[in-house]
């Protein structure tokens, strides 16, 4: 039986248009999920939408429709965007799904009955757009430290989750599980800035609005949206539901990807809820950086973005996927610019990859009518390329295991660059003029086909359409990830994979 791998993205607020920053987490999660499938894992990749809360209630009121009508429209648009980007999610989960609502109510009741949730009164500073409470010292210039907007005083009867009770256990867990919070810098930030100063019990219900999951034993309260949202990672698997076989199979999650501003929810509130429920914690929460434009986070509130579909329509899905995966060192912030997207597409995809496939297939047709095997007339000069092909899969594996996704993709393009250089060094058009060099010419072209084949198989994780198209042109079914000596190629006609983009 294959090993399982459960990977999640945050569930998105359907509160307006999506931007390329949202696509970032999802494209990376997709590349990791596809890669794990390629390696034979039984992958469960989950994404979805976080549909409750005051922000949504307010937006729906402004639009003169019900909150459910409001989110339904955006959710179908989101699913369409993910499908356009070829996101291979196994489950798209909505927090308005009945299965989730009922399970959250059971979780809340269980925690209340066992004394981890209790009733009290809340007085505090609340940021509505971020659905977050802050203490006065956490504010920056009197405003929300995340979005720089006004916070307001809230005072209400409320239920509280005993975070304080679990503080020591949480610190001990984080320290004894070095992979739990990654990268390292985020772990230090959580411990020193948030946990060690002292965890206060968390207000986990609201009475000031209605669009949420009602507390089942006290219906004027709705469940705090972060408790509602975080539990999606287990309710979607059937936890507390009629059929929890997926939960038994996939929990604990192997990897939970989240943006850096929500690491604290995922590494403090979420593990404490799980501890209180007596469940295992996810194996890893990885907090990635932001895509920024001119140094600022791409965000709905700043409005500094275009609809990602514009880029997809103009440059193609795989150009957008490639750019996002390749440009940013995962974990750090990375600049997004349309100009850099065009530069990368031209240099890496049209020149390096596209030309290599086109030149090689054209030569295979011209000199061997498309049919090639390996006569093994190898020379010293071949060793560097063939050993790079042989090592590629293990390099990509190391990089993907440590989530250096941009370096994994870079390793593939290094092989492609080396293959292009190999054409210039071996000069097949010169070999073709000499009848006695026929075997040598065939060997050279065979090595080139192998470099393209292995790269194309690996590219399935990053650029699925491109991978499929290259393998279609090669007309080869062999998906092995290592250099093969004895394949019989009968390649199809070459057609351009990426057109150069004219910047003007
Ligand atoms: N609903 C919560 C998540 C709940 S998970 C239990 C939420 N939603 S969100 O729609 O605001 O953000 C979803 C994800 O997109 C977050 O991980 C966030 O960090 C990410 N991004 C939003 N803007 C981003 C960039 N500019 N760059 C990279 N990721 C960004 O938070």
């Amino acid at each position: 039986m294959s090993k399982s791998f459960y990977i999640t993205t945050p569930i998105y607020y359907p509160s307006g248009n999506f931007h390329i920053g949202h696509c970032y987490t999802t494209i990376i999660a997709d590349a990791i999920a596809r890669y794990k499938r390629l390696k034979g894992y039984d992958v469960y990749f989950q994404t979805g939408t976080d549909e409750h809360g005051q922000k949504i209630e307010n937006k729906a009121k402004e639009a003169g429709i019900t909150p459910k009508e409001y989110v339904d429209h955006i959710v179908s648009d989101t699913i369409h965007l993910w499908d356009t980007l070829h996101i291979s999610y196994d489950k798209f989960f909505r927090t308005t799904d009945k299965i989730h609502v009922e399970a959250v109510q059971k979780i809340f009741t269980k925690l209340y009955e066992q004394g981890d949730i209790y009733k009290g009164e809340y007085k505090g500073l609340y940021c509505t757009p971020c659905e977050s409470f802050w203490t006065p010292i956490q504010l920056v210039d009197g405003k929300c430290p995340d979005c720089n907007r006004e916070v307001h005083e809230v005072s209400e009867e409320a239920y509280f989750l005993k975070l304080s009770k679990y503080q020591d256990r949480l610190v001990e867990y984080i320290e004894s599980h070095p992979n739990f919070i990654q990268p390292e810098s985020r772990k230090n930030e959580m411990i020193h800035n948030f946990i060690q100063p002292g965890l206060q019990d968390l207000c986990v219900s609201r009475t000031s609005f209605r669009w949420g999951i009602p507390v089942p034993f006290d219906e004027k309260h709705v469940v705090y949206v972060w408790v509602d949202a975080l539990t999606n990672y287990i309710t979607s698997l059937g936890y507390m539901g009629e059929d929890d076989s997926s939960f038994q199979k996939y929990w604990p999650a192997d990897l939970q990807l989240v943006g850096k501003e929500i690491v604290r929810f995922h590494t403090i509130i979420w593990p404490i809820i799980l501890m209180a429920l007596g469940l295992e914690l996810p194996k890893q929460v990885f907090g990635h950086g932001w895509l920024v434009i001119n140094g600022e986070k791409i965000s709905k509130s700043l409005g500094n973005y275009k609809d990602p579909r514009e880029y997809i329509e103009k440059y193609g899905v795989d150009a957008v996927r490639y750019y996002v995966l390749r440009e940013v060192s995962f974990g750090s912030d990375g600049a997004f610019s349309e100009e850099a997207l065009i530069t990368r597409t031209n240099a890496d995809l049209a020149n390096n990859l596209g030309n290599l496939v086109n030149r090689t297939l054209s030569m295979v047709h011209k000199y061997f009518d498309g049919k090639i095997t390996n006569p093994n007339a190898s020379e010293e000069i071949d060793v560097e390329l063939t050993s790079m092909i042989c090592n590629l899969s293990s390099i990509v594996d190391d990089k993907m295991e440590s989530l250096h996704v941009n370096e994994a993709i870079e390793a593939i393009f290094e092989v492609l660059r080396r293959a292009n250089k190999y054409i210039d060094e071996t000069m097949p058009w010169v070999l073709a003029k000499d009848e006695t060099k026929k075997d040598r010419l065939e060997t050279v072209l065979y090595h080139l086909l192998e470099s393209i084949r292995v790269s194309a198989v690996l590219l399935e994780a990053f650029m699925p359409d491109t991978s499929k198209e290259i393998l279609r042109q090669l007309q080869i079914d062999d998906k092995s990830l290592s250099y093969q000596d004895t394949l019989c190629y009968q390649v199809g006609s070459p057609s351009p994979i990426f057109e150069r983009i004219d910047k003007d």
Side-chain angles (χ1 to χ4, degrees):
M1 219 169 68
S2 51
K3 226 178 134 199
S4 69
F5 186 81
Y6 179 29
I7 175 169
T8 67
T9 71
I11 46 171
Y12 295 82
Y13 287 127
S15 63
N17 294 333
F18 276 33
H19 54 69
I20 193 81
H22 296 117
C23 301
Y24 178 68
T25 324
T26 315
I27 292 172
I28 288 180
D30 182 61
I32 297 168
R34 284 175 180 273
Y35 184 73
K36 286 285 179 185
R37 287 192 201 105
L38 203 61
K39 302 295 291 182
Y41 283 76
D42 168 12
V43 172
Y44 193 81
F45 169 22
Q46 191 195 282
T47 186
T49 37
D50 175 5
E51 304 184 12
H52 293 120
Q54 188 165 12
K55 185 163 55 178
I56 306 271
E57 187 175 275
N58 292 348
K59 291 246 178 186
K61 207 176 280 166
E62 275 165 34
I65 50 179
T66 65
K68 184 67 169 56
E69 283 166 343
Y70 181 82
V71 290
D72 277 352
H73 172 68
I74 301 175
V75 169
S76 64
D77 198 50
T78 310
I79 293 176
H80 178 259
L81 175 60
W82 289 168
D83 291 344
T84 309
L85 278 167
H86 300 320
I87 304 301
S88 61
Y89 55 84
D90 296 287
K91 179 93 164 180
F92 187 97
F93 194 62
R94 304 181 56 176
T95 55
T96 47
D97 284 353
K98 187 165 171 272
I99 175 178
H100 175 75
V101 172
E102 287 175 1
V104 168
Q105 291 183 322
K106 286 185 194 160
I107 290 170
F108 201 94
T109 306
K110 176 174 161 60
L111 297 181
Y112 178 69
E113 285 172 353
Q114 70 189 38
D116 280 316
I117 286 180
Y118 62 93
K119 199 171 186 177
E121 189 185 329
Y122 187 78
K123 280 201 185 76
L125 301 161
Y126 191 64
C127 173
T128 306
C130 294
E131 317 264 11
S132 293
F133 280 103
W134 301 101
T135 60
I137 47 163
Q138 288 172 324
L139 301 183
V140 175
D141 297 331
K143 295 194 176 146
C144 170
D146 273 354
C147 72
N148 197 29
R149 278 176 282 203
E150 298 293 337
V151 293
H152 54 276
E153 280 232 2
V154 178
S155 166
E156 57 187 39
E157 175 195 275
Y159 288 88
F160 288 83
L161 175 66
K162 283 187 184 165
L163 295 190
S164 51
K165 173 177 158 189
Y166 290 93
Q167 173 166 336
D168 293 345
R169 256 179 81 184
L170 180 62
V171 173
E172 193 190 291
Y173 186 89
I174 294 173
E175 280 172 352
S176 58
H177 294 79
N179 282 331
F180 174 54
I181 307 178
Q182 283 294 322
E184 194 73 15
S185 56
R186 311 229 188 273
K187 168 161 63 187
N188 298 334
E189 186 193 352
M190 287 306 120
I191 294 186
H192 298 122
N193 298 2
F194 289 100
I195 309 176
Q196 266 168 0
L199 290 181
Q200 289 179 5
D201 291 349
L202 176 75
C203 178
V204 290
S205 75
R206 300 285 180 275
T207 51
S208 52
F209 62 94
R210 294 310 309 149
W211 181 237
I213 299 179
V215 171
F217 48 86
D218 195 349
E219 293 227 339
K220 71 175 186 295
H221 293 262
V222 294
V223 175
Y224 174 40
V225 73
W226 270 102
V227 171
D228 167 353
L230 288 163
T231 51
N232 95 87
Y233 300 127
I234 50 177
T235 60
S236 65
L237 299 175
Y239 177 70
M240 292 272 188
E242 277 168 23
D243 173 8
D244 74 349
S245 52
S246 293
F247 176 74
Q248 297 302 340
K249 185 166 174 196
Y250 293 110
W251 191 257
D254 294 273
L255 180 60
Q256 303 213 264
L257 293 182
V258 301
K260 62 181 179 183
E261 82 283 20
I262 58 172
V263 169
R264 67 194 173 92
F265 297 97
H266 285 82
T267 58
I268 300 174
I269 304 175
W270 179 221
I272 288 179
I273 293 174
L274 290 166
M275 282 176 177
L277 292 171
L279 299 176
E280 281 183 82
L281 269 48
K283 292 179 197 153
Q284 184 167 114
V285 174
F286 188 97
H288 64 74
W290 290 332
L291 281 189
V292 297
I293 288 186
N294 301 328
E296 287 199 278
K297 182 186 179 201
I298 304 174
S299 85
K300 278 179 208 165
S301 49
L302 294 170
N304 56 352
Y305 63 91
K306 285 188 190 169
D307 187 324
R309 270 169 275 233
E310 267 191 49
Y311 304 121
I312 300 169
E313 270 158 33
K314 258 171 133 171
Y315 309 117
V317 183
D318 278 356
V320 172
R321 286 180 64 110
Y322 176 75
Y323 175 77
V324 164
L325 292 164
R326 172 68 187 81
E327 190 75 13
V328 184
S329 165
F330 196 44
S332 318
D333 286 352
F336 177 86
S337 87
E338 198 164 345
E339 200 171 331
L341 193 161
I342 294 173
T343 307
R344 279 247 172 250
T345 306
N346 285 343
D348 296 359
L349 303 182
N351 284 1
N352 191 5
L353 172 63
N355 275 351
L356 175 68
V357 176
N358 210 276
R359 284 163 93 191
T360 305
L361 293 196
S362 302
M363 290 191 285
V364 172
H365 272 284
K366 187 167 170 196
Y367 303 133
F368 294 95
D369 288 330
K371 198 167 175 223
I372 291 258
T373 52
N374 183 14
N376 243 324
S378 285
E379 292 182 6
E380 186 61 28
I381 199 170
D382 306 345
V383 174
E384 193 182 329
L385 178 64
T386 51
S387 61
M388 277 174 89
I389 307 170
C390 290
N391 295 336
L392 180 59
S393 133
S394 89
I395 296 175
V396 170
D397 212 42
D398 284 351
K399 300 291 183 193
M400 291 303 280
E401 281 301 312
S402 57
L403 300 184
H404 291 100
V405 180
N406 62 319
E407 292 175 22
I409 205 165
E410 169 60 9
I412 301 172
F413 277 75
E414 228 168 84
V415 170
L416 300 171
R417 253 193 309 277
R418 186 65 191 84
N420 273 310
K421 195 168 152 221
Y422 177 79
I423 298 183
D424 300 339
E425 289 167 348
T426 52
M427 295 189 284
W429 51 91
V430 175
L431 296 173
K433 288 190 184 134
D434 184 344
E435 208 26 57
T436 65
K437 300 272 171 64
K438 201 138 190 193
D439 278 1
R440 175 64 190 144
L441 175 62
E442 193 172 359
T443 303
V444 164
L445 294 179
Y446 186 88
H447 290 331
L448 288 169
L449 288 176
E450 271 301 274
S451 64
I452 295 170
R453 185 189 65 78
V454 173
S455 303
V457 175
L458 286 165
L459 282 177
E460 207 285 324
F462 311 99
M463 298 193 286
D465 273 357
T466 303
S467 162
K468 211 180 288 157
E469 176 56 17
I470 297 173
L471 292 170
R472 189 192 68 75
Q473 293 191 21
L474 289 182
Q475 290 189 17
I476 193 105
D477 291 331
D478 193 297
K479 296 266 177 84
S480 52
L481 289 171
S482 57
Y483 177 89
Q484 300 295 309
D485 243 347
T486 54
L487 298 182
C488 298
Y489 279 100
Q490 171 70 66
V491 305
S493 323
S495 59
I497 293 170
F498 285 97
E499 304 281 358
R500 271 189 72 80
I501 302 163
D502 182 350
K503 274 196 188 174
D504 297 326

